[in-house]
Amino acid sequence: MRDETALIRAAQGGDADAFEQLVYSYDQSVLRLAFNLIRSQEDARDIYQEAFLRVHKNLHTFRFDCSFHTWLYRIVTNLCLDHLRRRKVRREEDLVVQTEDGPKDRLDSVPETSADANPQHRLLNGELRRRMEQVISELTPRERAVFQMRHYEGMRLRAIGEMLGTTEEAAKNCLFRATQKMRTALGEFT
Amino acid sequence: MNCESVKSRLSLLLYGELSFHEEEQLEQHLSECLVCSKWMQRERIMHAALDLSHAEAPPALLAQCRRDLLAGLRTQSEVRSADWLGLWQRWFTAGSWLKPVGAAALLAIGFFTARLTSSDPGFGSGFGQAGVTAARVKLVEPGESGQVRITLEETSRRQVMGRVEDQDIRQLLLRAAQDGADPGLRGDSLDLLKGKSEALEVKQALQRALLSDPNPGVRMKALEALRPFAGDNEVRSVLAQVLLKDEHSGLRTQAIDLLVMNKPRDMVSVLQELMQREDNDYIRLRSQRALREMNASVETF
Ligand SMILES: [Zn+2]
């Protein structure tokens, strides 16, 4: 495994294998972020495609003045935010996805993974999960993005601010508002 | 710090996103205030509950995305090739040296079109090198009226059509059957040649592939193509070598099936040697039975 700087330089020089390696070391988490933010497989797929095509097209402009991770996520989060803002206008039904068998509650397609093995988690299933999805879908795109990146991707607020083109303080305020909204909405459950 | 402001900061505390000083104040308060410690407990439960609403993207989706990207990159590089083609066309149409050589220029454009828009072999090797690197600059020299003349050396791509019986076509297929880099190409070539395996050069190519192609799939295709010649001495000797040496048990199984079809006296020593080294049960059984049928000893002494 080559170190990342070498990989980026090689990809900038047109080395297709290096570009491929670079993509494959980040694409899983990029897709996870898009999928959880956008909550639609089809749209997450579009975001993935558009993000890496942009990376490919603009990689020569990357000057190492931030980490590649930050640079990449700046592209991805911008695409996701644009998408969420457009969708707000369209007023799409968040909790229902279209499947081959007709419309389906998105929660039914969320894998239960470790939840069932853990008795504490089992209590939290059902109605609470439904409510949580609802609250998250009602956050503003920015709140949602910050919350997602902090809570699920474990990124620091400073990095999140950098990715969203804002300050650490502004990202902190976003997270603050998001958690407050959730606390209010989920209050009766906890 | 009052209870309300503590309560509103609990989440940031859990995320570890408070300053050292704030964290210190909050913890101090929590250790003394029962109401707020209750809130802290609820905050923890909420955090745990939120974990549930996170989903991994399905693996099939990731695979699909990667395939899409591959196709997308290919298109992107074709677009860039087309840009470059546009540049060439502008050069040709604007340049004063076009007029006397119009036909040649058109031919050259056709040449580039063929080379540059032909589909790339894929992610691994294609998209980085579309456009300018498709041709190598061989010579540069000053031309008339401030222009430069560049001599390019290119490898072109073209198609030829014909029947396998045609000597030229067959030679190309035989060459492709030995293409070191691409087992798929070698296999496809053998498939096409298969129908003409009575031709000596084709039969030899098949034997060569069966003995030494590094890819077992290609060796299997060669073996299949040689099936009609299982009675042929030369082919039998190749099959015996496969039986004793090929590391792929599927190929050894095919080889022994072909070799023992009719009491193969010429194979006794091969089968005896096989009994010394073979560890695949089916092959051992076949070999044993064939030796018994020929009243030959199962072992060498
Ligand atoms: Zn208190």
Side-chain angles (χ1 to χ4, degrees):
Chain A
M1 183 77 193
R2 280 189 270 179
D3 94 347
E4 186 174 279
T5 306
L7 216 52
I8 294 165
R9 289 202 192 286
Q12 285 177 325
D15 180 335
D17 287 338
F19 184 73
E20 188 177 3
Q21 265 190 57
L22 207 55
V23 170
Y24 288 177
S25 50
Y26 285 103
D27 67 344
Q28 204 166 345
S29 59
V30 163
L31 184 63
R32 186 179 54 224
L33 177 66
F35 178 59
N36 279 286
L37 261 180
I38 308 292
R39 314 242 154 188
S40 144
Q41 293 203 20
E42 271 313 298
D43 295 344
R45 194 173 143 187
D46 290 345
I47 301 268
Y48 175 107
Q49 170 88 341
E50 184 57 32
F52 284 111
L53 285 179
R54 281 193 194 181
V55 168
H56 184 247
K57 205 170 144 199
N58 298 312
L59 191 60
H60 66 280
T61 67
F62 178 67
R63 292 277 171 268
F64 297 90
D65 40 22
C66 61
S67 76
F68 178 74
H69 179 258
T70 299
W71 189 74
L72 168 65
Y73 273 70
R74 200 176 286 157
I75 294 174
V76 177
T77 49
N78 275 328
L79 286 169
C80 288
L81 287 178
D82 284 349
H83 185 94
L84 287 170
R85 288 182 193 120
R86 274 202 309 277
R87 196 161 69 181
K88 264 253 144 22
V89 178
R90 278 193 284 139
R91 275 273 155 228
E92 199 167 295
E93 189 55 71
D94 259 332
L95 288 174
V96 175
V97 287
Q98 295 301 323
T99 70
E100 283 168 7
D101 314 319
K104 206 177 161 206
D105 192 317
R106 203 193 82 85
L107 285 175
D108 297 338
S109 60
V110 174
E112 308 253 324
T113 53
S114 59
D116 289 334
N118 183 329
Q120 195 203 351
H121 280 179
R122 213 179 308 149
L123 288 174
L124 296 167
N125 267 336
E127 185 51 31
L128 174 56
R129 278 166 64 118
R130 205 169 300 275
R131 179 69 73 86
M132 237 150 36
E133 293 291 325
Q134 191 61 43
V135 181
I136 292 175
S137 76
E138 281 164 6
L139 298 176
T140 69
R142 276 164 70 99
E143 289 164 357
R144 194 158 159 178
V146 172
F147 167 71
Q148 187 84 36
M149 289 194 278
R150 178 56 259 207
H151 192 92
Y152 298 119
E153 304 295 325
M155 296 176 194
R156 307 303 302 184
L157 285 172
R158 176 203 289 270
I160 296 171
E162 221 183 325
M163 285 166 193
L164 297 179
T166 181
T167 60
E168 179 179 354
E169 207 47 40
K172 188 186 273 187
N173 286 333
C174 262
L175 181 66
F176 184 78
R177 282 196 309 274
T179 51
Q180 250 184 340
K181 284 182 187 179
M182 284 187 281
R183 191 178 307 112
T184 310
L186 302 175
E188 64 196 272
F189 288 93
T190 54
Chain B
M1 205 173 237
N2 64 35
C3 291
E4 255 334 285
S5 74
V6 168
K7 189 177 149 190
S8 69
R9 282 178 169 75
L10 292 175
S11 215
L12 292 175
L13 178 69
L14 282 177
Y15 286 127
E17 293 282 4
L18 291 176
S19 70
F20 184 84
H21 178 66
E22 281 178 305
E23 203 172 306
E24 201 52 33
Q25 281 186 313
L26 242 73
E27 277 172 357
Q28 178 67 35
H29 183 101
L30 284 171
S31 69
E32 295 161 352
C33 174
L34 200 64
V35 179
C36 283
S37 344
K38 279 257 161 60
W39 279 113
M40 184 61 172
Q41 231 172 343
R42 299 180 67 171
E43 193 74 25
R44 278 187 211 281
I45 294 177
M46 187 180 86
H47 270 238
L50 286 168
D51 290 340
L52 286 178
S53 103
H54 195 57
E56 271 301 323
L61 183 63
L62 182 65
Q64 182 64 52
C65 285
R66 287 179 172 178
R67 277 198 298 278
D68 291 348
L69 180 61
L70 213 130
L73 287 167
R74 214 175 281 162
T75 316
Q76 207 172 62
S77 77
E78 274 170 21
V79 171
R80 264 188 299 149
S81 307
D83 287 350
W84 202 60
L85 183 68
L87 181 71
W88 270 95
Q89 278 162 334
R90 274 199 301 284
W91 271 18
F92 277 119
T93 44
S96 57
W97 40 297
L98 171 69
K99 274 120 204 164
V101 290
L106 284 175
L107 185 72
I109 289 170
F111 218 49
F112 275 99
T113 315
R115 173 66 185 88
L116 296 176
T117 58
S118 58
S119 74
D120 280 318
F123 212 15
S125 56
F127 58 77
Q129 52 168 6
V132 182
T133 52
R136 234 185 71 208
V137 175
K138 190 75 183 158
L139 193 67
V140 292
E141 49 195 332
E144 297 98 328
S145 55
Q147 299 197 38
V148 291
R149 182 179 291 119
I150 301 173
T151 309
L152 297 168
E153 191 177 69
E154 352 143 358
T155 45
S156 70
R157 204 177 264 210
R158 66 189 172 110
Q159 292 185 335
V160 289
M161 300 276 283
R163 313 188 130 277
V164 185
E165 290 82 5
D166 298 347
Q167 191 56 27
D168 291 345
I169 295 289
R170 190 184 297 172
Q171 287 311 318
L172 286 172
L173 286 173
L174 285 167
R175 210 195 300 163
Q178 293 183 72
D179 185 302
D182 187 349
L185 179 64
R186 298 199 301 276
D188 290 346
S189 306
L190 291 183
D191 271 345
L192 290 167
L193 286 166
K194 190 162 73 178
K196 294 286 153 239
S197 45
E198 72 282 356
L200 184 63
E201 54 187 353
V202 173
K203 206 197 287 178
Q204 282 170 345
L206 290 168
Q207 290 173 15
R208 201 162 44 233
L210 177 54
L211 276 180
S212 53
D213 197 289
N215 182 297
V218 175
R219 297 203 297 279
M220 191 63 94
K221 283 193 172 187
L223 189 145
E224 283 302 317
L226 287 168
R227 195 174 270 280
F229 307 97
D232 184 309
N233 277 339
E234 212 180 324
V235 173
R236 289 178 75 75
S237 122
V238 170
L239 287 172
Q241 290 180 62
V242 170
L243 184 58
L244 291 176
K245 294 191 186 120
D246 201 295
E247 61 189 14
H248 197 277
S249 63
L251 276 149
R252 298 200 304 278
T253 302
Q254 297 282 323
I256 195 163
D257 283 347
L258 284 175
L259 283 173
V260 300
M261 266 186 315
N262 34 34
K263 294 188 183 148
R265 297 241 61 106
D266 58 327
M267 285 296 139
V268 169
S269 62
V270 170
L271 295 177
Q272 283 172 336
E273 192 184 338
L274 183 68
M275 292 308 291
Q276 307 279 319
R277 58 166 84 182
E278 180 62 62
D279 51 14
N280 178 293
D281 288 340
Y282 173 83
I283 299 171
R284 287 184 66 84
L285 206 70
R286 286 287 274 173
S287 172
Q288 211 171 28
R289 197 189 302 155
L291 285 168
R292 292 233 171 87
E293 279 169 9
M294 292 182 287
N295 294 318
S297 162
V298 171
E299 284 166 65
T300 47
F301 298 100

